[in-house]
Amino acid sequence: MGKLLAVGSMAFDAIETPFGKTDKILGGAAPYIGLAASQFDIDIAVVSVVGEDFPEKYLSMLRDRNIDLSAVEIVKGGKTFFWSGKYHNDLNSRDTIETQLNVLGDFTPVVPEHYKDADVVMLGNLHPNTQLSVIEQMEKKPKLIVLDTMNFWMNNTWDELMTVISRVDIITINDEEARQLTNEYSLVKAAQKIRQMGPEYIVIKKGEHGALLFHEDNVFFAPALPLEEVFDPTGAGDTFAGAFSGYIAATRDVSFHNMKNAVIYGSNLASFCVEKFGTERMQKLSKDEIQKRLLQFKELTQFEIELT
Ligand code: AMP
């Protein structure tokens, strides 16, 4: 069975969208990545940190999905990372209201022994040095190292970010971040510049407008499913990354052709994530629902045209 190692934040989130508001709910990149990746037949371990205030019910919900949490550190007397954000009316942009790093501030990830040979490593959005430390603990070169990052690290830890970017195979970022990273408006040019930084593959996510996968001279586009109900986009990027890496770990095939399917799975699972607040929808998602939506993705994009 394929093995996936994921590192990412575990958090309390307080979210406000035009449709409502939540108090502290389960958030952070790692739960979204784990919930999405656990839809595939793979072994998954999460490396993260929480405070003593983190409810056991969240941990057991993740364990029930066969996610190995032995490398989630629980800091005695510590407080869990807290993030709050407010979405604008179009749901495509948001403002961070508050970030309390708490135990994430001095987090030292420790990769479990039995995951030092993982097939796929998913580096969730964290301090680039934390991400690098995970790469350095691997004993066998993974088939694929996937990196997610955000503007915060571009603004504050540029040199460290460049070091970790040079060590990964694929980066997943959104369009705004790709432009900030490269100073290029054209996403094609941005992808070319990012390739020069190290990654062979680049995924640029465009929210409700889908995602682009670049490799050498090839480009593939996966649409986002036009949805009737979008409640909360939080975690859509992490869900995309979790499904993408889970699919690659399950198939152990890192060809461009297979990555196209991984991008479709990423878009597919992300389309569920946004239908409810936080991780609620992902906790109730069935394999059957995923299969049905795959068919919708096919129908959305398939056409037959005579080439003359
Ligand atoms: P996404 O919507 O995919 O960008 O991810 C949202 C999740 O990222 C939320 O659940 C937050 O708890 C988490 N998050 C926000 N800021 C940070 C940060 N600086 N470091 C780690 N995780 C964060």
Side-chain angles (χ1 to χ4, degrees), residues 9 11 13 27-28 32 81 83 94 104 125 150 153 233-238:
S9 53
D13 283 354
Y32 287 107
F81 172 74
W83 176 79
R94 71 183 177 205
L104 203 61
N125 169 35
M150 70 188 292
W153 307 115
T234 309
D238 306 312

